[in-house]
DNA sequence: CTGAAAGCGCTTACAG
DNA sequence: CTGAAAGCGCTTACAG
């Protein structure tokens, strides 16, 4: 049991003298060293290690003993080359531009979103013996495309956080290697994973409209062209028009998914003398933080005068004053599911890859009512069930 | 210029029909495809691509054209195997145990520290065409050692955030592959990178003792055996004894580097009826957050009754009430330097590796005076220069 | 300057 | 069940 963990028997010298002269750098042992020590062929060593075609008990033991003695670990490059499996999934994150973060030094928080997703991936990846190769790419980079293709050649599959490739590039890439996006929409050859924006936003919209009775809303969007921002916006617009409620949108309501963008939008509106809606629905929590900040600066009471909501329910949301009403996504699940999806595509079965391709996987979202919408202490107008201050209300499926 | 970026000419069909039948999955082109299209040998293609032994202008052009047409990117596994360079550095992070984070849901913030270091690495890695393979390891994992050796076989070098390996394992590993630690102390075969704990803590200690005149201090340590925590503690003890000031330490002052640990320590002390020192010096900012929290719970004024300081100067430090006095480390530099160090060890020159081994690289730290030490608005007792509320005072070199 | 060939360290049909 | 051999896709001496 103890020697079974490997590396234990390694007195070192014996193994090392066999491996070579190495003074400052010992060459790690190869499968040939193991075969020699075990008195077997490298094929047998390989079979034992990979559990193929069950070898004789004695063979197995000799191999295992030699492996432990030498501390042998197969070289991944050789393994990858011959088995056509690198056990690596590449992850592409868009590097945050430092342009929008002067005002909120903690904007680093924003890193949390992709980082938390990656964390979810990593946990699952590990269970499958995979590692993640995370590469951040700058949108303005001239050869972002090349860098992603290069990453692809280091990986068995790719997960893309953002839209960086042109549709043509994405198409070519996803023909060569399994690709899963978190960026919004599947294509014929890629799968996509996303939070159920539609259901989450509809639940939130109904809560604001019917439970609180707000008649004027605005949508503070995320950055241009973000599919998440778009689908949230659509769902909200749909609910608003169905209920005959006014919804303000447009350029002046464009944010950046960052606190600074939300704050700036509010500052401009106030400077322009615009009158604010009864509730501001933000594309994400970060934007809402900026909005809360700007409103506080101008002494506008939240939720008394203007209600504010977020989306994502990041950990920080419950610590804001007032506590932020938001729509929870299980961020780690997003990552875990994205990984499971590429993994199923990678795993040999060309059937698997074809069944996953083109799929759009929506993960459940949950409306979390806190104070900033008007619930709790200073709730304003409740038409249906009493809104709870605790996270318990589910969205309609 | 436009076609120089690659991938542009790829009408696809021509290349693909050459590459194979592939319906759902196209095989990426290999160097053989490029050679065929260019009418040259694979050796020439390789030379052009790697800038070896300058080939004729025409040869170069033909290769480049074929590469662009096919969208060729070399397979990393094949490259790694034959060139003995993977262009990957493995990074081992200790996975945070979820035991200590019940009370502070935002303890995820703690992830920021290793994440920010990794970010610093990544930026530099990218400049050298390297990627980072980040693997988190659980201390309790029975075969943490094996997982790290396995990571080593996927990498050209390793950066270890924490102490996980036994000294023997670390020794064997670092003989096989360049290893840089961030964990505290170099060995004969590894290099270490760390913030200059000693200078930073001494500057802080002198500030508290001489500028503020505090005569009783305590050191709220980090988790057991942390070299950073130890050297900070030593420096503080040294300054305290030199100045004839009382320093409380010991088991009751042990924290965990996390907010919860700091809060718990204070709670216990108060519950035990212990009287608090004039200033509590915490091993890091997170601990200080917990301490501030606990003191506030008991209505103890900071810095009026008890001063509190941190270490690290995380972004959040300036947003606390009172703003936290701390010792700044450039966290990204820590990562960048760690990478530069492994990189220099990897880079062929056995001279390079031997000169880096055994080195202990200290990065400068900077005392940041804010409110929690007693500076600024409610400063208490100033013996020397007026402490500024802004980050400007340097530590003694 | 260029090409043919060996070799990197594995896995996996193919024989026996 | 096991071994000899081919092959994965590159790089790099070695000839020419």
């Amino acid at each position: 049991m103890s020697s079974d963990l490997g590396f234990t028997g390694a007195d070192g010298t014996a193994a090392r003298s066999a491996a070579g002269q190495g003074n400052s750098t010992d060459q790690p042992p190869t499968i040939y060293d193991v075969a020699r020590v075990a008195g077997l062929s490298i094929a047998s060593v390989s079979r034992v290690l990979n559990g193929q075609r069950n070898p004789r008990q004695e063979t197995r033991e000799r191999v295992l003993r030699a492996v432990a003695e030498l501390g042998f670990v197969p070289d991944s490059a050789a393994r990858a080359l011959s088995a056509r499996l690198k056990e690596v999934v590449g992850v592409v994150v868009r590097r945050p531009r430092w342009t929008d973060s002067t005002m909120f030094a903690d904007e680093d928080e924003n890193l949390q979103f992709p980082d938390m997703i990656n964390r979810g991936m990593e946990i699952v990846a590990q269970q499958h013996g995979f590692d993640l190769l995370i590469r951040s790419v700058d949108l303005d980079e001239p050869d972002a495309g090349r860098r992603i293709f290069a990453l692809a050649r280091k990986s068995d599959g790719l997960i893309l956080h953002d839209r960086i490739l042109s549709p043509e590039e994405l198409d070519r890439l996803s023909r060569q290697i399994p690709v899963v996006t978190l960026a919004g929409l599947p294509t014929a050859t890629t799968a996509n994973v996303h939070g159920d924006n539609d259901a989450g936003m509809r639940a939130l919209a109904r809560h604001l409209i019917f439970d609180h009775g707000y008649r004027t809303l605005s949508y503070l969007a995320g950055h241009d062209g973000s599919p998440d921002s778009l689908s949230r916006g659509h769902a909200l617009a749909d609910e608003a028009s169905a209920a005959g409620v006014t919804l303000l949108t447009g350029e002046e309501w464009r944010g950046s998914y960052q606190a600074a963008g939300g704050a700036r939008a509010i500052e401009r509106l106030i400077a322009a003398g615009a009158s604010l809606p009864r509730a501001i629905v933000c594309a994400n929590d970060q934007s809402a933080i900026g909005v809360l900040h700007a409103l506080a600066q101008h002494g506008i009471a939240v939720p008394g005068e203007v209600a504010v909501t977020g989306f994502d329910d990041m950990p920080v949301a419950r610590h804001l004053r007032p506590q932020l009403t938001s729509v929870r996504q299980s961020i780690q699940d997003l990552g875990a599911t994205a990984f499971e999806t590429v993994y199923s595509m990678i795993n040999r079965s060309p059937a698997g890859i074809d069944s996953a391709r083109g799929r759009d996987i929506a993960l459940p979202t949950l409306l979390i009512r806190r104070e900033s919408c008007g619930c709790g202490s200073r709730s304003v107008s409740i038409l249906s069930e009493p809104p709870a201050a605790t996270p318990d209300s589910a969205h309609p499926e």
Side-chain angles (χ1 to χ4, degrees), chain A:
Chain A
M1 173 178 165
S2 74
S3 76
D4 210 48
L5 287 176
F7 311 151
T8 7
D11 127 303
T13 36
R16 215 161 292 135
S17 65
Q21 63 293 356
N23 179 13
S24 74
T25 303
D26 299 357
Q27 294 303 325
T30 71
I31 197 171
Y32 289 93
D33 297 317
V34 176
R36 187 165 20 72
V37 170
L40 291 162
S41 72
I42 61 165
S44 290
V45 175
S46 177
R47 282 191 207 102
V48 169
L49 260 26
N50 297 298
Q52 307 288 39
R53 299 212 266 119
N54 47 13
R56 256 178 26 212
Q57 182 60 22
E58 196 212 322
T59 304
R60 186 192 312 280
E61 277 167 8
R62 275 158 66 185
V63 168
L64 260 20
R65 210 174 309 127
V67 164
E69 181 182 338
L70 298 173
F72 170 72
V73 180
D75 177 77
S76 69
R79 205 165 196 288
L81 185 57
S82 96
R84 313 175 148 286
L85 229 221
K86 303 182 169 75
E87 299 189 313
V88 167
V89 163
V91 180
V92 178
V93 189
R94 194 159 54 85
R95 188 182 308 129
R97 311 262 32 209
W98 300 121
T99 48
D100 209 5
S101 46
T102 28
M103 174 167 181
F104 291 79
D106 252 346
E107 200 77 66
D108 323 55
E109 296 258 353
N110 237 1
L111 289 176
Q112 278 190 12
F113 198 77
D115 280 345
M116 286 172 72
I117 293 181
N118 290 348
R119 187 150 205 84
M121 291 179 201
E122 202 219 326
I123 291 169
V124 183
Q126 198 166 283
Q127 293 167 4
H128 295 290
F130 271 58
D131 282 287
L132 262 30
L133 210 45
I134 295 172
R135 190 175 281 199
S136 64
V137 169
D138 194 322
L139 255 187
D140 303 347
E141 229 169 295
D143 55 4
R146 170 134 58 197
R147 293 194 58 232
I148 295 177
F149 274 85
L151 181 63
R153 297 292 265 152
K154 282 185 165 183
S155 323
D156 300 312
L158 241 40
I159 297 175
L160 309 179
H161 273 262
D162 286 275
R163 294 202 162 164
I164 296 167
L165 296 174
S166 68
E168 298 74 37
E169 286 173 317
L170 181 59
D171 185 64
R172 193 156 58 84
L173 182 66
S174 58
R175 257 175 233 290
Q176 295 185 173
I177 188 177
V179 173
V180 169
T181 61
L182 289 160
L185 295 168
T187 70
T189 48
T190 65
N192 183 64
V193 174
H194 65 104
D196 193 341
N197 294 312
D198 191 72
M201 182 55 89
R202 285 182 193 275
L204 173 60
R206 289 186 193 142
H207 177 62
L208 296 174
I209 296 171
F210 298 118
D211 296 346
H212 289 293
Y214 300 145
R215 305 297 300 167
T216 57
L217 310 176
S218 69
Y219 180 57
L220 191 111
H223 62 237
D224 217 8
S226 151
D228 277 334
S229 176
L230 283 175
S231 57
R232 289 168 199 170
H234 283 149
L236 177 61
D238 213 50
E239 291 293 331
S241 84
V245 152
T246 304
L247 176 68
L248 310 177
T249 56
E251 260 325 301
E252 63 277 27
W253 288 99
R254 171 151 316 286
S256 62
Y257 274 142
Q258 309 206 348
R264 201 166 37 223
I266 300 303
E267 291 295 349
R268 287 202 188 127
L269 286 159
I270 291 177
S275 72
L276 296 175
R278 184 60 190 85
I280 300 176
V281 178
C282 301
N284 70 344
D285 288 354
Q286 284 295 324
S287 303
I289 290 174
V291 168
L292 289 176
H293 186 89
L295 292 175
Q297 291 285 315
H298 290 275
I300 298 170
V302 177
E305 297 177 61
V306 176
V308 174
T309 63
F311 207 106
D312 289 343
D313 193 34
M314 310 231 59
V316 73
R318 80 199 60 177
H319 299 309
L320 299 172
R321 294 285 158 239
Q323 294 184 0
L324 190 65
T325 288
S326 192
V327 175
R328 178 179 297 170
Q329 319 197 54
S330 173
I331 303 179
Q332 296 218 156
D333 280 354
L334 242 32
T337 304
F339 185 86
E340 292 288 12
T341 307
V342 249
Y343 184 73
S344 78
M345 292 165 83
I346 290 168
N347 250 4
R348 305 277 151 136
S349 98
I353 188 171
D354 284 329
S355 74
R357 279 176 164 178
R359 281 189 59 194
D360 194 15
I361 301 166
L363 265 38
T365 49
L366 185 66
L367 173 60
I368 306 295
R369 304 167 181 180
R370 294 205 185 85
E371 300 168 352
S372 70
C373 62
C375 283
S377 41
R378 283 171 291 176
S379 69
V380 175
S381 128
I382 296 163
L383 301 186
S384 58
E385 30 145 13
T390 46
D392 58 5
S393 58
H395 66 83
E397 69 284 302

